[in-house]
Amino acid sequence: MSEKQTGKGKGFLLRIEPEMMAEVERWAAQEFRSVNGQLQWIIADALRRYKRKAKDS
């Protein structure tokens, strides 16, 4: 697989159950975010909560 990068991020495929995807889509809409933005926020929040990422990043 090529290491194509777009913008500042790196793309990858994610397999997710349709029911879970529907929940993410609803949550994103409630937060006025795109699904991609919501997934990035969820991952960043999890990294902060489990102290895997510096707080000032």
Side-chain angles (χ1 to χ4, degrees), residues 9 34-46 48 53:
S34 66
V35 170
N36 185 66
Q38 189 69 21
L39 290 170
Q40 288 178 336
W41 181 86
I42 291 167
I43 293 167
D45 185 56
R48 279 189 298 274
K53 182 177 178 182

Side-chain angles (χ1 to χ4, degrees), residues 5-20:
Q5 289 191 325
T6 57
K8 294 191 288 183
K10 183 175 181 178
F12 69 97
L13 295 176
L14 175 65
R15 293 176 198 239
I16 186 168
E17 295 293 324
E19 298 82 11
M20 188 180 295

Side-chain angles (χ1 to χ4, degrees), residues 25-55:
E25 289 170 342
R26 277 193 285 279
W27 189 7
Q30 291 169 351
E31 300 284 329
F32 303 105
R33 292 187 179 111
S34 66
V35 170
N36 185 66
Q38 189 69 21
L39 290 170
Q40 288 178 336
W41 181 86
I42 291 167
I43 293 167
D45 185 56
L47 290 171
R48 279 189 298 274
R49 286 177 185 230
Y50 294 99
K51 301 184 187 339
R52 304 286 190 221
K53 182 177 178 182
K55 288 185 179 183

